[in-house]
Amino acid sequence: DSASYHFKEFITKNPKSPEGYFFEAMLEWWKINLDKNNESNDDIFFNKVNKVLEMCDDILDENNNDFKATFYKGGILGYRGMLKSFRDSWLKAAEDGREALNLLEHASELQPNNKDAQLGIGIYNYFAEYVPDRYPVIRPLMLIFPKGDKIKGLMQIKETAMNSRYAKTEANYILSYLYINYEKNFTESEYYSKKLFEEFPENAIFEKYVYTSYVGLARFDDAIAGWNKILEKGGNKQTGYDNKYILREANYYISVSLFNLGRITEAETNLKNCEEI
């Protein structure tokens, strides 16, 4: 709410500038990201994306080499594509991804030292190599895209996390996500997720990534204590914690940790909670 107030104030003072509209749309993105299965904010997000595209296109019609408009248009198309992938609309997600990539590469050419534009390119480089290897059925679709480079992609995202102006938090978030879900490197995921959680202690995703890392590192007592905090916050209806998916996840990881500690009866209780949810 505080962020929205400031973005609206910025838009009032700068009605033709795209960044205020971009960050207003990103507020909706984070509402969706905290509860991906809730589609109630999708249309609001898509409408705000259209506003960003309209503002960027007005500028690009006058000057096709305007960095700001190119950057924000590429960025917002990337996030729209990501939401379409959440909703299993793969071809539409691919269309947005390809256009976003072209725009962000152009933005990088316009300002080679700008690390913010590099985030989307790094994410693309990572997944463009990983996805066809992991899911061969997608290989024919990838023929319309440039070849990826997973190692280069990780380095680009890390450089963004260290040296960008706006995208540091998002870059650290992406690194946490990749190291947990794809690289299975829980030492690295703990490093990035803990840094995020210390800065944003009310963000449910950053918090659960810390405790997921503990499970991966076999720090089961720490994991149990952490996931129980999430259950408590869910019980208190705290924003980001009060949905059945994170509560199911908490019960699951508590039961896994208890099982590994040999506390079988306790693990069964949490598994039954998980099953009920």
mmCIF file of all heavy atoms in Angstrom, residues 229-254:
data_model
loop_
_atom_site.group_PDB
_atom_site.id
_atom_site.type_symbol
_atom_site.label_atom_id
_atom_site.label_comp_id
_atom_site.label_asym_id
_atom_site.label_seq_id
_atom_site.Cartn_x
_atom_site.Cartn_y
_atom_site.Cartn_z
ATOM 1 N N LYS A 229 6.847 -21.463 12.246
ATOM 2 C CA LYS A 229 6.584 -20.019 12.232
ATOM 3 C C LYS A 229 5.645 -19.659 11.083
ATOM 4 O O LYS A 229 4.755 -18.809 11.235
ATOM 5 C CB LYS A 229 7.896 -19.241 12.082
ATOM 6 C CG LYS A 229 8.795 -19.279 13.296
ATOM 7 C CD LYS A 229 10.081 -18.519 13.019
ATOM 8 C CE LYS A 229 11.085 -18.652 14.162
ATOM 9 N NZ LYS A 229 12.377 -18.001 13.840
ATOM 10 N N ILE A 230 5.833 -20.309 9.939
ATOM 11 C CA ILE A 230 4.958 -20.049 8.794
ATOM 12 C C ILE A 230 3.533 -20.511 9.097
ATOM 13 O O ILE A 230 2.561 -19.821 8.761
ATOM 14 C CB ILE A 230 5.534 -20.710 7.523
ATOM 15 C CG1 ILE A 230 6.721 -19.879 7.015
ATOM 16 C CG2 ILE A 230 4.464 -20.876 6.441
ATOM 17 C CD1 ILE A 230 7.376 -20.369 5.759
ATOM 18 N N LEU A 231 3.391 -21.667 9.743
ATOM 19 C CA LEU A 231 2.057 -22.128 10.128
ATOM 20 C C LEU A 231 1.388 -21.134 11.079
ATOM 21 O O LEU A 231 0.187 -20.860 10.965
ATOM 22 C CB LEU A 231 2.142 -23.501 10.795
ATOM 23 C CG LEU A 231 2.443 -24.702 9.897
ATOM 24 C CD1 LEU A 231 2.492 -25.976 10.740
ATOM 25 C CD2 LEU A 231 1.395 -24.847 8.799
ATOM 26 N N GLU A 232 2.177 -20.586 11.984
ATOM 27 C CA GLU A 232 1.627 -19.612 12.938
ATOM 28 C C GLU A 232 1.166 -18.343 12.211
ATOM 29 O O GLU A 232 0.083 -17.821 12.482
ATOM 30 C CB GLU A 232 2.691 -19.270 13.981
ATOM 31 C CG GLU A 232 2.197 -18.334 15.071
ATOM 32 C CD GLU A 232 3.274 -18.026 16.107
ATOM 33 O OE1 GLU A 232 4.294 -18.756 16.148
ATOM 34 O OE2 GLU A 232 3.100 -17.053 16.860
ATOM 35 N N LYS A 233 1.970 -17.875 11.271
ATOM 36 C CA LYS A 233 1.601 -16.678 10.512
ATOM 37 C C LYS A 233 0.373 -16.945 9.652
ATOM 38 O O LYS A 233 -0.480 -16.072 9.489
ATOM 39 C CB LYS A 233 2.777 -16.215 9.645
ATOM 40 C CG LYS A 233 3.937 -15.655 10.455
ATOM 41 C CD LYS A 233 5.114 -15.257 9.569
ATOM 42 C CE LYS A 233 6.268 -14.727 10.405
ATOM 43 N NZ LYS A 233 7.431 -14.331 9.569
ATOM 44 N N GLY A 234 0.292 -18.163 9.103
ATOM 45 C CA GLY A 234 -0.897 -18.528 8.343
ATOM 46 C C GLY A 234 -2.136 -18.535 9.220
ATOM 47 O O GLY A 234 -3.209 -18.060 8.819
ATOM 48 N N GLY A 235 -1.983 -19.059 10.437
ATOM 49 C CA GLY A 235 -3.094 -19.075 11.375
ATOM 50 C C GLY A 235 -3.554 -17.689 11.768
ATOM 51 O O GLY A 235 -4.740 -17.461 12.057
ATOM 52 N N ASN A 236 -2.616 -16.730 11.737
ATOM 53 C CA ASN A 236 -2.937 -15.335 12.048
ATOM 54 C C ASN A 236 -3.388 -14.544 10.814
ATOM 55 O O ASN A 236 -3.548 -13.321 10.891
ATOM 56 C CB ASN A 236 -1.728 -14.645 12.683
ATOM 57 C CG ASN A 236 -1.398 -15.197 14.053
ATOM 58 O OD1 ASN A 236 -2.280 -15.664 14.771
ATOM 59 N ND2 ASN A 236 -0.131 -15.166 14.429
ATOM 60 N N LYS A 237 -3.565 -15.242 9.679
ATOM 61 C CA LYS A 237 -4.046 -14.627 8.433
ATOM 62 C C LYS A 237 -3.131 -13.509 7.938
ATOM 63 O O LYS A 237 -3.577 -12.521 7.355
ATOM 64 C CB LYS A 237 -5.472 -14.074 8.603
ATOM 65 C CG LYS A 237 -6.498 -15.090 9.073
ATOM 66 C CD LYS A 237 -6.709 -16.176 8.040
ATOM 67 C CE LYS A 237 -7.788 -17.171 8.458
ATOM 68 N NZ LYS A 237 -7.932 -18.294 7.505
ATOM 69 N N GLN A 238 -1.825 -13.684 8.149
ATOM 70 C CA GLN A 238 -0.872 -12.679 7.681
ATOM 71 C C GLN A 238 -0.758 -12.744 6.160
ATOM 72 O O GLN A 238 -0.745 -13.831 5.579
ATOM 73 C CB GLN A 238 0.488 -12.915 8.333
ATOM 74 C CG GLN A 238 1.484 -11.792 8.108
ATOM 75 C CD GLN A 238 2.692 -11.928 9.028
ATOM 76 O OE1 GLN A 238 2.569 -12.383 10.176
ATOM 77 N NE2 GLN A 238 3.853 -11.549 8.536
ATOM 78 N N THR A 239 -0.666 -11.581 5.516
ATOM 79 C CA THR A 239 -0.607 -11.510 4.056
ATOM 80 C C THR A 239 0.530 -12.364 3.501
ATOM 81 O O THR A 239 1.670 -12.269 3.959
ATOM 82 C CB THR A 239 -0.410 -10.044 3.602
ATOM 83 O OG1 THR A 239 -1.498 -9.266 4.098
ATOM 84 C CG2 THR A 239 -0.364 -9.953 2.079
ATOM 85 N N GLY A 240 0.195 -13.181 2.513
ATOM 86 C CA GLY A 240 1.187 -14.047 1.887
ATOM 87 C C GLY A 240 1.281 -15.420 2.512
ATOM 88 O O GLY A 240 1.820 -16.344 1.918
ATOM 89 N N TYR A 241 0.759 -15.557 3.737
ATOM 90 C CA TYR A 241 0.857 -16.811 4.473
ATOM 91 C C TYR A 241 -0.495 -17.512 4.623
ATOM 92 O O TYR A 241 -0.553 -18.644 5.082
ATOM 93 C CB TYR A 241 1.426 -16.568 5.876
ATOM 94 C CG TYR A 241 2.828 -16.017 5.901
ATOM 95 C CD1 TYR A 241 3.051 -14.648 5.770
ATOM 96 C CD2 TYR A 241 3.930 -16.849 6.062
ATOM 97 C CE1 TYR A 241 4.341 -14.122 5.804
ATOM 98 C CE2 TYR A 241 5.220 -16.341 6.098
ATOM 99 C CZ TYR A 241 5.423 -14.972 5.966
ATOM 100 O OH TYR A 241 6.693 -14.462 5.992
ATOM 101 N N ASP A 242 -1.565 -16.806 4.264
ATOM 102 C CA ASP A 242 -2.905 -17.320 4.562
ATOM 103 C C ASP A 242 -3.543 -17.999 3.356
ATOM 104 O O ASP A 242 -4.694 -17.755 3.021
ATOM 105 C CB ASP A 242 -3.808 -16.192 5.075
ATOM 106 C CG ASP A 242 -3.959 -15.060 4.074
ATOM 107 O OD1 ASP A 242 -3.096 -14.944 3.176
ATOM 108 O OD2 ASP A 242 -4.935 -14.293 4.176
ATOM 109 N N ASN A 243 -2.776 -18.857 2.672
ATOM 110 C CA ASN A 243 -3.363 -19.646 1.589
ATOM 111 C C ASN A 243 -3.003 -21.113 1.788
ATOM 112 O O ASN A 243 -2.000 -21.445 2.421
ATOM 113 C CB ASN A 243 -2.912 -19.148 0.209
ATOM 114 C CG ASN A 243 -1.442 -19.381 -0.055
ATOM 115 O OD1 ASN A 243 -1.016 -20.480 -0.379
ATOM 116 N ND2 ASN A 243 -0.637 -18.327 0.073
ATOM 117 N N LYS A 244 -3.850 -21.980 1.275
ATOM 118 C CA LYS A 244 -3.724 -23.407 1.579
ATOM 119 C C LYS A 244 -2.454 -24.020 1.001
ATOM 120 O O LYS A 244 -1.956 -25.019 1.525
ATOM 121 C CB LYS A 244 -4.943 -24.160 1.078
ATOM 122 C CG LYS A 244 -5.134 -24.158 -0.428
ATOM 123 C CD LYS A 244 -6.409 -24.908 -0.813
ATOM 124 C CE LYS A 244 -6.620 -24.938 -2.317
ATOM 125 N NZ LYS A 244 -7.842 -25.668 -2.678
ATOM 126 N N TYR A 245 -1.895 -23.408 -0.039
ATOM 127 C CA TYR A 245 -0.728 -24.016 -0.687
ATOM 128 C C TYR A 245 0.519 -23.907 0.190
ATOM 129 O O TYR A 245 1.274 -24.862 0.331
ATOM 130 C CB TYR A 245 -0.511 -23.381 -2.059
ATOM 131 C CG TYR A 245 -1.708 -23.568 -2.948
ATOM 132 C CD1 TYR A 245 -2.667 -22.564 -3.093
ATOM 133 C CD2 TYR A 245 -1.939 -24.782 -3.594
ATOM 134 C CE1 TYR A 245 -3.791 -22.752 -3.882
ATOM 135 C CE2 TYR A 245 -3.065 -24.984 -4.378
ATOM 136 C CZ TYR A 245 -3.989 -23.964 -4.518
ATOM 137 O OH TYR A 245 -5.111 -24.158 -5.273
ATOM 138 N N ILE A 246 0.718 -22.735 0.800
ATOM 139 C CA ILE A 246 1.896 -22.594 1.661
ATOM 140 C C ILE A 246 1.695 -23.361 2.968
ATOM 141 O O ILE A 246 2.650 -23.906 3.527
ATOM 142 C CB ILE A 246 2.232 -21.103 1.924
ATOM 143 C CG1 ILE A 246 3.644 -20.987 2.511
ATOM 144 C CG2 ILE A 246 1.219 -20.438 2.826
ATOM 145 C CD1 ILE A 246 4.177 -19.571 2.551
ATOM 146 N N LEU A 247 0.445 -23.481 3.438
ATOM 147 C CA LEU A 247 0.187 -24.258 4.650
ATOM 148 C C LEU A 247 0.400 -25.753 4.392
ATOM 149 O O LEU A 247 0.940 -26.475 5.243
ATOM 150 C CB LEU A 247 -1.236 -24.001 5.145
ATOM 151 C CG LEU A 247 -1.541 -22.559 5.551
ATOM 152 C CD1 LEU A 247 -2.987 -22.417 5.990
ATOM 153 C CD2 LEU A 247 -0.604 -22.089 6.657
ATOM 154 N N ARG A 248 -0.001 -26.219 3.215
ATOM 155 C CA ARG A 248 0.254 -27.614 2.838
ATOM 156 C C ARG A 248 1.761 -27.859 2.742
ATOM 157 O O ARG A 248 2.273 -28.880 3.215
ATOM 158 C CB ARG A 248 -0.418 -27.912 1.491
ATOM 159 C CG ARG A 248 -0.255 -29.353 1.029
ATOM 160 C CD ARG A 248 -0.923 -29.563 -0.316
ATOM 161 N NE ARG A 248 -0.285 -28.778 -1.359
ATOM 162 C CZ ARG A 248 -0.761 -28.661 -2.599
ATOM 163 N NH1 ARG A 248 -1.887 -29.250 -2.929
ATOM 164 N NH2 ARG A 248 -0.115 -27.947 -3.504
ATOM 165 N N GLU A 249 2.471 -26.904 2.126
ATOM 166 C CA GLU A 249 3.921 -27.026 1.972
ATOM 167 C C GLU A 249 4.601 -27.068 3.340
ATOM 168 O O GLU A 249 5.528 -27.863 3.559
ATOM 169 C CB GLU A 249 4.426 -25.821 1.155
ATOM 170 C CG GLU A 249 5.813 -25.974 0.589
ATOM 171 C CD GLU A 249 6.160 -24.837 -0.354
ATOM 172 O OE1 GLU A 249 5.365 -23.890 -0.499
ATOM 173 O OE2 GLU A 249 7.254 -24.894 -0.941
ATOM 174 N N ALA A 250 4.150 -26.215 4.263
ATOM 175 C CA ALA A 250 4.737 -26.187 5.599
ATOM 176 C C ALA A 250 4.560 -27.533 6.297
ATOM 177 O O ALA A 250 5.513 -28.090 6.864
ATOM 178 C CB ALA A 250 4.097 -25.071 6.421
ATOM 179 N N ASN A 251 3.344 -28.074 6.270
ATOM 180 C CA ASN A 251 3.102 -29.378 6.896
ATOM 181 C C ASN A 251 3.927 -30.481 6.240
ATOM 182 O O ASN A 251 4.431 -31.383 6.918
ATOM 183 C CB ASN A 251 1.610 -29.715 6.834
ATOM 184 C CG ASN A 251 0.817 -29.081 7.948
ATOM 185 O OD1 ASN A 251 0.895 -29.509 9.091
ATOM 186 N ND2 ASN A 251 0.069 -28.036 7.619
ATOM 187 N N TYR A 252 4.079 -30.400 4.931
ATOM 188 C CA TYR A 252 4.867 -31.411 4.219
ATOM 189 C C TYR A 252 6.324 -31.396 4.674
ATOM 190 O O TYR A 252 6.905 -32.435 5.031
ATOM 191 C CB TYR A 252 4.780 -31.185 2.708
ATOM 192 C CG TYR A 252 5.750 -32.037 1.932
ATOM 193 C CD1 TYR A 252 5.518 -33.401 1.757
ATOM 194 C CD2 TYR A 252 6.922 -31.497 1.411
ATOM 195 C CE1 TYR A 252 6.419 -34.196 1.067
ATOM 196 C CE2 TYR A 252 7.831 -32.285 0.721
ATOM 197 C CZ TYR A 252 7.578 -33.633 0.545
ATOM 198 O OH TYR A 252 8.473 -34.418 -0.116
ATOM 199 N N TYR A 253 6.943 -30.200 4.681
ATOM 200 C CA TYR A 253 8.367 -30.124 5.025
ATOM 201 C C TYR A 253 8.611 -30.408 6.507
ATOM 202 O O TYR A 253 9.664 -30.943 6.870
ATOM 203 C CB TYR A 253 8.949 -28.766 4.626
ATOM 204 C CG TYR A 253 9.282 -28.695 3.156
ATOM 205 C CD1 TYR A 253 8.674 -27.758 2.320
ATOM 206 C CD2 TYR A 253 10.212 -29.566 2.589
ATOM 207 C CE1 TYR A 253 8.973 -27.698 0.967
ATOM 208 C CE2 TYR A 253 10.520 -29.520 1.246
ATOM 209 C CZ TYR A 253 9.897 -28.588 0.436
ATOM 210 O OH TYR A 253 10.205 -28.536 -0.900
ATOM 211 N N ILE A 254 7.656 -30.054 7.354
ATOM 212 C CA ILE A 254 7.783 -30.435 8.763
ATOM 213 C C ILE A 254 7.767 -31.956 8.888
ATOM 214 O O ILE A 254 8.586 -32.550 9.609
ATOM 215 C CB ILE A 254 6.658 -29.807 9.608
ATOM 216 C CG1 ILE A 254 6.857 -28.280 9.707
ATOM 217 C CG2 ILE A 254 6.635 -30.413 11.013
ATOM 218 C CD1 ILE A 254 5.681 -27.544 10.313
#
